[in-house]
Structures are given as C-alpha cells and as structure tokens.
Amino acid sequence: MAAGAAKLQLQERAPLPRTAWKLADLAVLALLLALLARRAASLLAVSAGGAAAAAAAPACTWCWVAALVCEAWFTFVWLITVSTKWSPVRFDTHPERLAQRNEELPAVDVFVTTADPKLEPPAVTVNTVLSLLALDYPAGKLACYVSDDGCSPATCFAMREAAEFARLWVPFCRKHGVGVRAPFVYFSGSSGGAAGDDDEFRREWTAMKGEYEKLVSRIESADEESLVRRGDGEFAEFVGADRRDHPTIIKVLRDSGKAADGTEIPSLIYISREKSPRHPHHFKAGAMNVLTRVSGVLTNAPIMLNVDCDMFANNPQVALHAMCLLLGFDDEVHSGFAQAPQKFHGALRDDPFGNQLEVLYEKLGFGIAGLQGMFYGGTGCFHRRKVIYGVPPESTADVQTTRMRGSPSYKELQKMFGSSKELIESARSTISGEMLAAAPMAHDLTSRIDAAKEVAACSYEAGTNWGQEVGWVYGSMTEDILTGQRIHAAGWRSALLNPYPPAFLGGAPTGGPASLTQYKRWATGLLEIILSRNNPILLCITKHLEFRQCLAYLVIYVWPLRAPFELCYALLGPYCLLANQSFLPKASEPGFMVPLALFLTYNAYSLAEYMDCRLSARAWWNNHRMQRIVSSSAWLLAFLTVVLKTLGLSETVFEVTRKEQQGDGGAGAGDDADQGRFTFDSSPVFVVPTALTALTLVALAVGAWRAVAGVSAAGGGPGAGEFACCGWLLLCFWPFVRGLAGKGSYGIPWSVKIKAGLIVAAFVHFCTRN
C-alpha cells in the first residue's frame, strides 16, 4: 500500500479539447485571406491599366494600399495568436500527496518588492507579508524578504509591526485553518467571520480583529519624520537618507523562531539596497538581483518565490501546489519555474478598464502552457535558484556550459557572481547540489548582515554577469518577461500553477490614468526587447527557444507595434468621409460581404470566448473598447517613446502604478459606478484618442451633410462601410465623447483638448486641401 502511494503522481498534465475553437480560428483566417485577396486583386487591376480596369478600380488607390498593409498585419497577428492557442493544457496538482514528504520539501525564499510608500501604501504590503508568513509550509523552511526601493522608514516600521503581529496571526491561522490569510480579507467578512461558531473561537476572532485594527491604525498614523527622530535610534540609518542616494539598510525583523504556543514563524528581513546617482539601479530587475544575492548569503533556499507588494497569498497551500510541479516531473527541465496567473481581489464588475486580463490568461495562458511553458509574469512565480543563476538543463548543455553544471572554478564563479566569498560558496552549492537537499539556513541571520550588505552595494555587479546571464535580465522595463525568455532560451520549460482557490490575488488599477500608465510601461518594455539582441526570433535561431514558443512571445511583444497599424486603419474611415472617398466596397457590390462577414464573425468569436470564461457581454464590450483606446494611447505613446530612445533623443522612465488602499468593506453600487467611470488628467497619453474622437465626430457630421445634400465624388464617395466604421469607432471611444463635455476628473483637461484640436485641424486640412 505504501509503495502504491509512493507512485502517485504529484501533478498531471491534461490536454484541453478545442476542436470547435480550431474551426472558428480557421474561419476567421479564411475571411482575412479572402479580404486580402480581393484587395490585392483590385490593386493589381489598377496597375494593369485599361479602361475597364480603371472603371472597376477603387476611388482612392492609396487608401486601399494602406488598408491592404494594415489587413496583412492583422492577418499576421491572427496567425501567431492561433498558433499560441492551438494546443492548450492544464496542470492538475495534488498537494495532499506531499503529506508524508515534509522532510523532503525544499526551503523557499520569498521576495516582496515595493518602491513607493505613497503609491504602494505600507498597509498593503503588510497584508501580503502576513499572508506569506502564514502559508501551510514548514516555517523553518520559509524566509520572507521585503525590498523597499523607496527607502522609507514608514515601510520599515510597518514591517517591524507585521513581524510582531505575526506572533499572533500565524498561530491563529494554523489553529483555525483560516482560508485566506491576508487579514484585511479575512476580517472584511468575505471569507467568513465568527458568527455561528463556538464561544472560544468567537472570543479569539474578536480579539484578533481588534489587534489587527490597532496594527493598521499604528501603520497609517506613522509619520516618517517622527520615526527618524525617535530617541531609541531604531531608525537612525534613515537619517539623511535620500530615496535615490543612500547606503544599504538591512534589518532582520524576525529570525526563524516560535510563538508563545510553540508555533514556528518564518524569518522576516527588510532590505533597502544602496542607491547612488553614479550607478544605474535597473528598476525592479536590480532590486530582484539584490534580493537574490542577499538571500543567497543569508538563507540560500533552492526555491525562490517573488510577489508584488499587493499580491497576497489567496491559497494557503500555494507553496505545496508549486512543489507538486517542481518535484513532480521525472526530468526537472519541465519545471524551470512555476508561474501562477495574475488574478484580482475586489475587482470592479465587468472589468471597465480592461486590465484584469482574465480571457488573456485563460485562452492564451493555457495555450502557452502547452508549448515550452507559461511566461514569467513578474509576480506569483516560483523559481529554481539555479535556473536564475543561469544553469542550463542537462538536455541542452553544450561544451561551453557543461562546466557550469559541474564544478566551475573559483575564478569562473567570481566572474559570474562577484567577489563575495560567501555568495560564491553558496552559489557553488546551489549549482552542484540537489534541490531536495535542505538549504544551509543560518542559525543567526544577524551574524551575516555585513556579508549581505556587501552584495547589496550598487557597485557590486560591475564586471560580473549579473543582469545578463545571471539573475533578472536588464535592458527592458518588462524585466520579468525578458528573464523568463532567457530561461526558455536556455532550454528550460515552465509550468502553469493554477490551483483552486487562485494562488494569489492583487489589485487592478482603476481610472483612466492608472490603467493607461500600466499599459504604457508594459508596452515600452516589450518594444525594447523586440528591438534588441534579445529578440525572440534571434533566440529561436541561435539558442533553444522553440519556434511556436517564439511566436507566443511575439503575440505579446507586438502590442506596441500594433498601434501605428490600428491607428492608420482607424483613420481611414474619417479620411474617406472628409475627402469624399472610399476604402471599402459599396453595399451593392458582392465584395462588401467579405468585410461584413469578417466583422460579425470576429466579434462573435471574441464574445464567445468571454462567455466561455464565464464573463458577461458587458465585460467583453469593455475589453474590446479598451483595447481600441489603449492602442491609440498607451501603446502608441510607448511606440514613440522607444523610437525616440533608439534615436538617442529620449530616455524611458519607469512609472510605478498606484496601488489601491485595501479596505475592510466592499463599495456600494453607487461607488462602483463612479469607480468604473473613465477619468482623465493632462497626460499626453490622452491627446491622440481625444483627437481621434473629435475627428470622427467632425467626419460623421461632414459625411451626413454630404449624404443629405447629395454631394458625391465622380467615382463614388463613401458608402455604408465608411459610415459604419466611424460609428463603431465612436462607440469604442464613448468615454472620450463623454469626457469632451465632462467636468473635473471625468472631463478631458483643456490642455489636452487644445492639442487634440490642433491635430484635428491639421488632419481636416490635409483631407480637404484638394
């Protein structure tokens, strides 16, 4: 019986049937090809000449050429998307089968990153940290590191308070089997309260809730200046520290130990790495590399989990689910890392800002999982430390990298990891050791603080491979997807960690500015990758990135490249109405049925995907219109930013997305309505969509006047297709229509309106100059 139990698989890879969807994929592709064929035939007829050809030729040849180029691009995007979705799989994990293997479980170092105490409130980070400290995992094998790139005494104070509260919270969660171990969720009532339970539990629940409220009150009332002036010197290291210029600060807030009832509690370490204007800090990638080195010196766990400060652990067994993937394959090459999809807590109903990405993760995510593996998404990811260290899998190791897997020399390790003897020794044990071997946890973490500060110095990486072949990769604002791509290019595969309940939940930005800022940052980083030596096409040719995995990366990387094509196509309708031309067949012509069928089929297909993901038609519409808005705003601005950077005329700037303050209760319906309404500011990201909205209104007015007045071009002016395109565009940009007349944050600022008005005037002049 024991032998049979030992043979039970920890994970199972289950292919997902998709026959009907494949037929729909091919139907959309066939219509795209038919549209291209008809447009190309019309243009060839023009080039062939002759009176009959001229009579059948499109009225505006260059419009048809522009449409052909854009439609060819849309076909390419559809092809690589279909390839990515074609063979989806799901990984089922069985953590209950690990019950008898606690001694074999590897240690885990948990990394939490925060960068700005105003945009990312310390109370948010505290809830994330507490949820991680209370995971169902041997506490002696867990260590939590908090990276504070804001060098904030308020954040450090909050973490110290969290370490104290954990002495009460962790035993309470273990004793009562609490489901969601972020206190703000547990005490909000959404995960169950004390009602209906025994008297002892009600008393403990009430007392714990009171302690948590005191904790939040202390954190929210903490003043940075007052903390620094405290007489006990606890925050003396923050005196005179500037966010961009300060020495390393490392504090062991809790060494692994036991609470009063004997419950073990994991270690908690606060880190604010050294910053200097003379050295680049490489944004989040730099912070992650410092965390990797500091943890390598202090605890050196073979597995590393990283989460954003607002992504609390929603499933207390998430680490056990991850171990089912990391330990459950016969060959470790299949699980270089295990990535959980990003999901959101308290998200607005019907996703009004199109940033919850539920369909993207379910439809594309399961498809990518069936290839070389899910992308690294920057949060909710379990990495093997040796994979982050650049160790290739045995199946792909060539002559040059074989020594990396064996016993590299001290000089080789020094070139890779830097001059720290402690880090070199820990790296050697990671590279040559077995993952199941227990990590050499330091008995007294404070005794290694000096060694940890050495590897956290901003000059430590000079002359090493950090940020290139070791650690998180530099060179892009989306360091996560670039690092995952390097791991896949080395030959590793990854697994999709998708347990129920979801592994982690975070907060999605609300309002127009925050949502578009996030999309702009992502798009900027993606375009930086595709224009660099890290282009997946090059890695597919020169390394071990599989062809279809390369196409899957391109699906995401082409986001900013879609902007100029989609903007060009969106402008064709208004141009034709203003210039009295056409770019689509007339309703009376047989060719009109092809674009009409494509429009209806594609939108029906897209709507069906949302229905299949148990989402509403309203959610589909919100995501559809937001994609149009994002394309003409955030993606377009990212495209222009990277072009200017490539020409040496600008530098990209990392922008932190505001994290919402977590509350105890949900908002009412009226609050939800306000939160779901689009807001504006004076950012240049709003100029182009405002101009496009105003231009469409002008074009529809001119076109309607011409139709009523009976004015048409000699070869035939715009038809129903052009009017339909402009009408659909106006529906997609309806938040901007409302914004033109709105007030306050719901109205478009006059500075944006004036810039947009100048663009509209110039475009109208261009259209009507002849």
Side-chain angles (χ1 to χ4, degrees):
M1 189 73 175
K7 295 180 181 178
L8 291 175
Q9 290 183 302
L10 296 177
Q11 59 77 31
E12 295 174 275
R13 187 178 189 269
L16 302 177
R18 198 175 175 273
T19 304
W21 290 107
K22 289 180 180 180
L23 294 175
D25 291 337
L26 296 176
V28 174
L29 179 61
L31 288 169
L32 282 165
L33 294 175
L35 182 61
L36 288 177
R38 188 195 181 280
R39 216 176 270 287
S42 298
L43 292 172
L44 287 173
V46 174
S47 63
C60 181
T61 303
W62 81 263
C63 287
W64 281 59
V65 172
L68 175 64
V69 172
C70 293
E71 288 158 1
W73 170 259
F74 301 151
T75 304
F76 166 74
V77 172
W78 184 254
L79 275 170
I80 60 176
T81 303
V82 167
S83 170
T84 303
K85 294 179 178 179
W86 197 256
S87 49
V89 301
R90 182 187 69 243
F91 290 97
D92 296 325
T93 49
H94 305 285
E96 70 280 359
R97 297 175 184 174
L98 283 169
Q100 305 302 318
R101 299 173 61 174
N102 273 2
E103 294 303 317
E104 298 179 4
L105 292 176
V108 180
D109 286 338
V110 183
F111 302 154
V112 180
T113 52
T114 182
D116 190 316
K118 294 181 180 178
L119 297 177
E120 300 172 330
V124 174
T125 309
V126 162
N127 271 280
T128 295
V129 168
L130 289 172
S131 72
L132 295 166
L133 294 177
L135 288 177
D136 286 338
Y137 203 76
K141 295 186 177 183
L142 276 179
C144 182
Y145 295 80
V146 178
S147 169
D148 175 21
D149 257 14
C151 190
S152 167
T155 301
C156 184
F157 171 77
M159 293 305 105
R160 185 171 291 281
E161 291 293 313
E164 289 301 311
F165 183 72
R167 297 171 59 190
L168 304 174
W169 179 244
V170 173
F172 177 82
C173 291
R174 299 269 173 84
K175 179 179 179 181
H176 298 293
V178 172
V180 181
R181 298 181 181 180
F184 88 97
V185 178
Y186 181 69
F187 292 120
S188 69
S190 59
S191 62
D197 295 303
D198 60 77
D199 291 341
E200 180 184 359
F201 173 69
R202 279 199 296 271
R203 286 194 298 271
E204 291 186 22
W205 187 93
T206 302
M208 188 62 61
K209 188 173 189 290
E211 290 297 324
Y212 173 66
E213 289 171 347
K214 293 176 185 177
L215 169 71
V216 173
S217 178
R218 290 194 299 270
I219 291 172
E220 292 182 345
S221 61
D223 176 73
E224 292 197 351
E225 293 185 5
S226 299
L227 290 172
V228 172
R229 291 197 302 266
R230 280 171 58 161
D232 57 10
E234 188 176 0
F235 299 96
E237 292 168 285
F238 293 93
V239 175
D242 181 82
R243 178 179 175 181
R244 297 176 180 82
D245 189 5
H246 63 85
T248 298
I249 301 173
I250 299 179
K251 292 180 177 291
V252 179
L253 304 178
R254 167 163 290 281
D255 210 336
S256 182
K258 295 184 178 182
D261 67 346
T263 302
E264 283 193 286
I265 301 174
S267 303
L268 178 60
I269 302 98
Y270 169 90
I271 302 171
S272 184
R273 59 183 170 134
E274 182 186 12
K275 292 277 191 70
S276 171
R278 298 183 300 276
H279 296 88
H281 59 84
H282 301 294
F283 311 113
K284 184 179 176 181
M288 293 302 302
N289 283 338
V290 168
L291 285 168
T292 303
R293 294 195 295 271
V294 169
S295 65
V297 168
L298 296 182
T299 49
N300 198 37
I303 303 298
M304 303 183 296
L305 161 65
N306 87 278
V307 295
D308 287 344
C309 64
D310 65 328
M311 297 292 290
F312 64 87
N314 181 64
N315 186 330
Q317 291 196 320
V318 59
L320 296 175
H321 284 282
M323 292 310 139
C324 290
L325 295 173
L326 295 170
L327 306 178
F329 290 95
D330 293 334
D331 189 338
E332 65 180 15
V333 70
H334 294 290
S335 56
F337 61 86
Q339 173 68 59
Q342 289 193 39
K343 298 187 178 182
F344 303 97
H345 166 77
L348 297 178
R349 184 177 179 181
D350 296 329
D351 194 10
F353 301 104
N355 51 21
Q356 295 172 26
L357 307 178
E358 291 183 66
V359 174
L360 180 75
Y361 275 112
E362 185 158 336
K363 294 300 180 181
L364 278 179
F366 286 119
I368 297 167
L371 303 176
Q372 205 169 344
M374 187 62 178
F375 303 155
Y376 168 37
T379 181
C381 188
F382 290 81
H383 286 282
R384 296 177 188 268
R385 184 180 288 268
K386 67 178 179 182
V387 172
I388 288 293
Y389 280 177
V391 179
E394 292 183 359
S395 58
T396 63
D398 52 28
V399 176
Q400 286 75 26
T401 57
T402 299
R403 282 187 58 79
M404 180 66 177
R405 295 196 56 87
S407 181
S409 69
Y410 187 88
K411 285 187 176 180
E412 290 172 323
L413 291 172
Q414 192 174 41
K415 168 64 178 174
M416 294 177 63
F417 299 103
S419 58
S420 168
K421 294 180 180 179
E422 292 84 354
L423 181 60
I424 289 175
E425 288 307 312
S426 71
R428 187 190 296 277
S429 66
T430 297
I431 292 169
S432 58
E434 290 293 330
M435 187 184 76
L436 293 181
M441 305 286 280
H443 294 294
D444 181 11
L445 297 182
T446 56
S447 66
R448 298 192 178 188
I449 292 295
D450 289 339
K453 287 185 175 181
E454 178 189 353
V455 298
C458 54
S459 60
Y460 182 81
E461 294 179 350
T464 71
N465 289 347
W466 285 100
Q468 301 171 57
E469 297 160 13
V470 176
W472 272 252
V473 183
Y474 301 151
S476 169
M477 296 173 86
T478 51
E479 75 296 320
D480 46 6
I481 198 167
L482 180 56
T483 301
Q485 181 183 271
R486 173 181 68 80
I487 293 170
H488 283 136
W492 291 98
R493 307 178 79 86
S494 58
L496 180 62
L497 173 63
N498 195 36
Y500 183 82
F504 303 94
L505 294 180
T510 59
S515 298
L516 296 184
T517 293
Q518 184 181 65
Y519 273 114
K520 177 181 175 291
R521 186 177 74 242
W522 289 346
T524 300
L526 296 173
L527 191 55
E528 287 173 334
I529 295 173
I530 205 169
L531 295 179
S532 72
R533 61 184 178 85
N534 294 309
N535 185 300
I537 298 174
L538 296 177
L539 297 180
C540 180
I541 296 171
T542 61
K543 295 196 175 181
H544 300 282
L545 190 67
E546 296 176 1
F547 176 67
R548 287 184 61 199
Q549 185 75 11
C550 168
L551 297 183
Y553 273 109
L554 287 177
V555 170
I556 307 299
Y557 288 169
V558 299
W559 279 4
L561 291 179
R562 289 168 60 172
F565 292 98
E566 294 191 10
L567 178 62
C568 176
Y569 208 74
L571 288 172
L572 288 176
Y575 172 83
C576 289
L577 291 182
L578 292 169
N580 211 13
Q581 302 288 347
S582 66
F583 81 102
L584 290 170
K586 298 293 187 291
S588 58
E589 299 174 2
F592 181 76
M593 295 306 297
V594 175
L596 177 62
L598 178 59
F599 174 80
L600 295 175
T601 303
Y602 173 77
N603 282 291
Y605 175 98
S606 177
L607 176 59
E609 283 193 319
Y610 278 78
M611 297 296 185
D612 193 48
C613 294
R614 301 160 300 284
L615 298 174
S616 66
R618 182 63 178 267
W620 163 76
W621 172 248
N622 287 337
N623 278 263
H624 176 82
R625 68 175 174 82
M626 276 305 299
Q627 186 171 327
R628 305 282 77 76
I629 292 171
V630 168
S631 177
S632 64
S633 56
W635 291 354
L636 182 64
L637 193 58
F639 175 81
L640 296 175
T641 298
V642 176
V643 168
L644 291 175
K645 177 188 175 184
T646 304
L647 296 175
L649 301 177
S650 176
E651 284 295 328
T652 53
V653 177
F654 187 88
E655 299 169 281
V656 178
T657 305
R658 177 179 293 276
K659 306 297 189 297
E660 299 300 321
Q661 181 73 45
Q662 295 156 336
D664 287 343
D671 293 332
D672 283 346
D674 289 337
Q675 291 174 3
R677 187 172 172 184
F678 210 87
T679 54
F680 303 89
D681 61 17
S682 58
S683 168
V685 78
F686 293 107
V687 173
V688 173
T690 301
L692 190 55
T693 303
L695 176 64
T696 305
L697 288 169
V698 171
L700 281 171
V702 171
W705 174 80
R706 281 204 180 110
V708 171
V711 179
S712 61
E722 285 73 21
F723 278 98
C725 284
C726 288
W728 186 256
L729 189 66
L730 207 59
L731 287 175
C732 291
F733 283 81
W734 193 252
F736 284 81
V737 176
R738 297 179 66 185
L740 289 171
K743 295 180 180 180
S745 62
Y746 300 122
I748 299 172
W750 275 104
S751 59
V752 174
K753 290 180 183 178
I754 291 171
K755 295 171 186 174
L758 293 174
I759 295 174
V760 171
F763 191 84
V764 171
H765 174 71
F766 167 74
C767 296
T768 59
R769 72 189 187 281
N770 294 325

